[in-house]
Amino acid sequence: MNNVLKWFTRDSFILPVVAIIMGLILGGVVMLIGGYNPIEAYGALFTKVFGDMYNFGEAVREMTPLIMTGLAFAFASRAGLFNIGGEGQFLVGMTAATFVGVKFAGLPIYLHAPLALIAGALFGGLWAAIAGYLKAARGVNEVISSIMLNWIGLYLANLIVRQFLLLKGENRSVDISESASISLTWLSELMGNSRVHMGTLIALVMAVLFYIYMWKTKQGYEIRAVGYNPNAAEYAGMHVNRNIVKAMFISGMLAGLGGAFQVLGVFHYQTVMSGSPGTGFDGIAVALIGLNHPFGVLLGAVLFGTLTYGSAGMSFAADVPPEIIRIVIGSIIFFIAAQGIVRWILKPFYSKRKKEKVL
Amino acid sequence: MDLLTIGQIINTTLVFATALIFASLGGIFSEKSGVTNLGLEGFMVFGAFAAGIGAHYAQEAGMGGTTSAWMGVLLAIVLGVLVSLIHAVASITFKADQIISGIVINFLAAGSTLYLVKLLFEGSGDSPLVQGFSKFDVPFLKDIPLLGEAFFKNVYPTTYLAILFVFLTYYIMFKTPFGLRLRSVGEHPSAADTVGVKVLRYRYIGVMISGALAAIGGAAITLTTTGTFSHNTVSGQGYIAIAAMIFGKWNPIGAFGAAVFFGFSQAIRNYVQLFEWSQSIPQEIIFMLPYLLTIIVLVAAVGRSSAPSALGEAYDPGKR
């Protein structure tokens, strides 16, 4: 019991919670200034997500790719890398999964779907590994190379869809074959025919694997060591460059898998896109809310997904522009990042607690 | 392909490069002072938004096209500086992670500008169309073959302003005491502090100039190419500006060159149908070419980055 209490009063728990509350309050203030009723708006937001099974299922679907891109960003961060290329890795993974899903028709379901998932993860990983390799071998800043790879990935995805997979007369690929689908019909029917899929379960498993790998294995220790202090890691005999490439590869695998989920579980085809979907960038926010910890990322994705998906209900029922949610999310990250501000606000409470201890 | 087309391509290149030049110069001011600025995209969005509504209301108030456009630029500068203070307070005073703080700016920009546009214009996602800057010809010079077509015909004042700012930035950064101090707090803040340079103050100034310049960049897009502000007015140009800054090794002239390179890549799309050889190549390959080239150039020629050495580190006087 005492341990539980200790956990809840830890800084890494209190600070994000306070940051979330402050973000919601700030969003409320902005709504008030705009002439809206924040209580009504937040009420509509939560009713949208938790009001019926269909919308709840759809919200879960919305969260799933965010978990993956969030995990991707968090993983690279642990190695001291700033993987802004989740967007491109997501798209490349998506395209690889579509390719396998369409072209490898005829495989039995227990081979086809896993193969498509593996292809998504593998190509997402390789895409990120390019940036990792360039950093390790040539010292090219991974931020700039992964921004470039985002654009290249977008056009590459479109190129492959248009050249090899195009549905005649449409601006999208043909449907993947049924055997590659990871949709869960029974769960979908249970949840009001929402598009829930197996990817959500895989995402949860990935979060657990992330935790085990990073904190319970030697390889994970090396990656963290490189992230904390590359010079010290080098001195301790670790291969810094190899760890950089490895961390980027795993990071990209996670993002690529997220892209594969979208095709295999949700849409079952891929469109020719005029711009990137933004899931990779949103994953950065999710990881930051989750303090780059896999379980934090899960909570971050739940929060982000709930707010984003619910914002549609907010605009429908209370007529509040849904963009306000970006302000809320932005301020939550702001308060988490600028912990000094939160500490400063919490100061009265902290000093009180210390006094009690003295007594 | 004739001289006329080459001239037009150069002309369009400069139009597209204008916003990138402003934003990457802004990035240089911030990063030379030691504050990472991933919020350039956000500042550009705020600038594009402010320019759209500023010019709109100035026009409503009866100002002419060009005057109202300048009012838009002015509002963009004001908003850019105000918003940059968020980044400055978080990352300089409260020592927040500078990269995260920059991302926050991008989030806030995407949310609040659209929220405000919908609030101001009864739920519409776009700001009303404004006249913006008009193109003009420079007398006499426009008649020079090729050069006239490229640099002196159908030009916007913002393009000239951007090029002027390149040299201005170079001069300020490398030839004035202010520039020296700004660079010193980005290279070795504790040494600068020892000789009496107010580290935090110079960083604040660097970030504020950065916000203003990036906002002008965003304003240039609204007031020349689109004429209106919507969610996709800026769409990633801030990230390209960051790339241009790194590509140009934090040097104004280098960043200018990189911005022109990216501007060219955008311009070439408008003309690519004119080349016969392009018919047989899928358009996506042409689209990805500039980004591919950037990576190749980075690998081949640029090599190790030359970022300011204290970039990204909060300065804590107590730790000296």
Side-chain angles (χ1 to χ4, degrees):
Chain A
M1 187 62 212
N2 220 356
N3 270 339
V4 176
L5 201 69
K6 216 188 227 166
W7 195 81
F8 275 109
T9 49
R10 257 188 359 198
D11 265 12
S12 59
F13 180 81
I14 289 182
L15 289 174
V17 168
V18 174
I20 291 167
I21 294 169
M22 282 167 64
L24 290 172
I25 292 175
L26 199 78
V29 171
V30 175
M31 285 183 216
L32 276 178
I33 295 170
Y36 302 109
N37 181 346
I39 296 177
E40 201 185 315
Y42 282 132
L45 188 154
F46 286 103
T47 320
K48 168 84 177 172
V49 178
F50 301 104
D52 59 69
M53 279 315 255
Y54 169 78
N55 279 311
F56 182 69
E58 284 290 296
V60 169
R61 169 192 69 71
E62 180 101 14
M63 289 165 199
T64 307
L66 292 172
I67 297 176
M68 298 311 296
T69 50
L71 288 175
F73 182 84
F75 197 94
S77 285
R78 290 283 167 187
L81 296 161
F82 193 82
N83 181 11
I84 202 170
E87 197 71 34
Q89 293 140 25
F90 182 85
L91 283 170
V92 169
M94 191 180 210
T95 313
T98 313
F99 192 88
V100 173
V102 171
K103 291 287 178 188
F104 290 34
L107 285 176
I109 186 159
Y110 56 85
L111 275 180
H112 198 183
L115 196 67
L117 286 171
I118 291 169
L122 188 68
F123 280 90
L126 289 174
W127 201 247
I130 298 173
Y133 173 77
L134 292 179
K135 172 156 185 133
R138 312 287 312 190
V140 177
N141 187 315
E142 79 273 18
V143 174
I144 176 169
S145 62
S146 52
I147 289 174
M148 296 299 128
L149 285 167
N150 282 343
W151 292 95
I152 299 172
L154 172 67
Y155 296 125
L156 184 69
N158 284 349
L159 179 71
I160 291 173
V161 171
R162 284 207 322 132
Q163 294 289 319
F164 304 110
L165 309 167
L166 205 63
L167 180 66
K168 258 206 173 113
E170 300 268 344
N171 223 7
R172 70 169 179 93
S173 75
V174 292
D175 285 330
I176 58 162
S177 60
E178 199 53 40
S179 53
S181 164
I182 56 164
S183 299
L184 288 175
T185 321
W186 61 271
L187 190 64
S188 181
E189 276 166 8
L190 201 69
M191 299 185 80
N193 288 318
S194 59
R195 293 169 290 174
V196 287
H197 54 83
M198 212 185 299
T200 312
L201 304 174
I202 303 174
L204 294 177
V205 172
M206 286 299 154
V208 175
L209 287 179
F210 180 134
Y211 176 79
I212 294 172
Y213 182 85
M214 195 64 88
W215 279 280
K216 306 290 173 198
T217 70
K218 187 172 152 256
Q219 290 193 23
Y221 175 77
E222 283 199 13
I223 284 177
R224 282 184 296 130
V226 169
Y228 275 127
N229 188 338
N231 298 329
E234 181 92 64
Y235 185 68
M238 296 170 191
H239 297 277
V240 171
N241 287 344
R242 197 189 294 163
N243 274 297
I244 286 176
V245 179
K246 195 203 286 169
M248 276 307 264
F249 178 75
I250 296 175
S251 168
M253 266 176 58
L254 294 165
L257 204 50
F261 291 165
Q262 291 300 85
V263 167
L264 306 175
V266 184
F267 300 112
H268 297 143
Y269 62 82
Q270 183 174 337
T271 50
V272 175
M273 286 165 275
S274 55
S276 358
T279 321
F281 286 113
D282 290 346
I284 301 178
V286 166
L288 295 177
I289 293 173
L291 301 174
N292 289 330
H293 190 285
F295 302 144
V297 166
L298 292 181
L299 297 176
V302 168
L303 180 74
F304 196 113
T306 305
L307 290 177
T308 322
Y309 188 75
S311 66
M314 192 181 75
S315 93
F316 184 71
D319 208 26
V320 184
E323 287 75 27
I324 187 92
I325 287 311
R326 294 247 142 192
I327 306 181
V328 173
I329 293 170
S331 0
I332 291 173
I333 307 170
F334 178 81
F335 290 124
I336 288 178
Q339 296 189 347
I341 295 178
V342 178
R343 284 220 173 80
W344 180 65
I345 289 169
L346 288 180
K347 218 176 189 173
F349 301 98
Y350 270 106
S351 49
K352 204 167 148 196
R353 219 167 56 183
K354 270 183 196 138
K355 263 179 212 157
E356 276 167 5
K357 264 181 199 160
V358 173
L359 286 172
Chain B
M1 202 164 79
D2 49 19
L3 281 183
L4 190 71
T5 325
I6 297 176
Q8 280 168 351
I9 293 177
I10 298 175
N11 187 289
T12 320
T13 296
L14 288 175
V15 172
F16 282 123
T18 302
L20 295 174
I21 296 170
F22 277 117
S24 57
L25 290 179
I28 290 174
F29 270 100
S30 166
E31 302 219 335
K32 278 283 182 192
S33 78
V35 182
T36 308
N37 200 340
L38 224 58
L40 286 182
E41 171 85 5
F43 295 136
M44 287 182 85
V45 171
F46 276 113
F49 158 79
I53 62 160
H56 168 71
Y57 286 117
Q59 252 173 347
E60 295 263 283
M63 287 181 205
T66 311
T67 322
S68 62
W70 284 115
M71 296 307 284
V73 173
L74 198 67
L75 192 66
I77 295 173
V78 172
L79 191 65
V81 170
L82 282 178
V83 177
S84 74
L85 283 173
I86 300 177
H87 185 44
V89 169
S91 58
I92 303 170
T93 305
F94 284 100
K95 301 184 180 61
D97 187 316
Q98 297 172 1
I99 287 175
I100 300 178
S101 171
I103 289 174
V104 167
I105 299 289
N106 297 341
F107 257 85
L108 291 180
S112 53
T113 53
L114 264 188
Y115 177 73
L116 285 170
V117 164
K118 286 189 176 174
L119 217 59
L120 291 172
F121 306 108
E122 280 127 25
S124 160
D126 297 14
S127 72
L129 201 65
V130 291
Q131 206 185 326
F133 289 111
S134 1
K135 294 179 175 178
F136 66 95
D137 297 345
V138 181
F140 308 118
L141 291 176
K142 74 177 161 64
D143 297 325
I144 308 172
L146 184 62
L147 291 181
E149 196 69 44
F151 299 107
F152 303 112
K153 226 181 211 177
N154 285 326
V155 285
Y156 290 110
T158 41
T159 306
Y160 286 141
L161 197 64
I163 295 170
L164 177 73
F165 265 83
V166 173
F167 295 110
L168 203 62
T169 304
Y170 185 84
Y171 179 78
I172 292 172
M173 202 60 85
F174 297 108
K175 306 284 175 202
T176 64
F178 169 80
L180 179 67
R181 289 184 194 128
L182 193 77
R183 282 184 293 132
S184 75
V185 302
E187 291 291 344
H188 206 314
S190 51
D193 198 358
T194 314
V195 295
V197 179
K198 302 258 185 271
V199 175
L200 302 191
R201 185 187 297 171
Y202 272 91
R203 288 194 166 175
Y204 261 86
I205 294 172
V207 173
M208 282 156 78
I209 296 177
S210 171
L213 283 175
I216 299 177
I221 301 176
T222 307
L223 296 171
T224 59
T225 9
T226 63
T228 163
F229 172 78
S230 73
H231 70 280
N232 60 1
T233 300
V234 176
S235 70
Q237 306 236 36
Y239 293 105
I240 307 274
I242 293 169
M245 171 186 69
I246 300 176
F247 202 14
K249 293 191 154 188
W250 287 268
N251 182 308
I253 312 284
F256 169 73
V260 169
F261 177 67
F262 286 117
F264 175 71
S265 76
Q266 282 172 292
I268 200 76
R269 288 188 204 181
N270 297 359
Y271 292 94
V272 86
Q273 294 91 334
L274 299 176
F275 305 103
E276 244 170 71
W277 51 263
S278 75
Q279 305 299 332
S280 53
I281 300 174
Q283 56 177 19
E284 284 88 357
I285 292 188
I286 292 158
F287 287 174
M288 68 171 78
L289 216 55
Y291 307 109
L292 213 58
L293 277 176
T294 305
I295 292 183
I296 293 169
V297 171
L298 276 175
V299 170
V302 183
R304 303 254 157 211
S305 85
S306 41
S309 38
L311 185 62
E313 291 167 21
Y315 178 60
D316 186 351
K319 275 188 185 162
R320 201 161 68 197

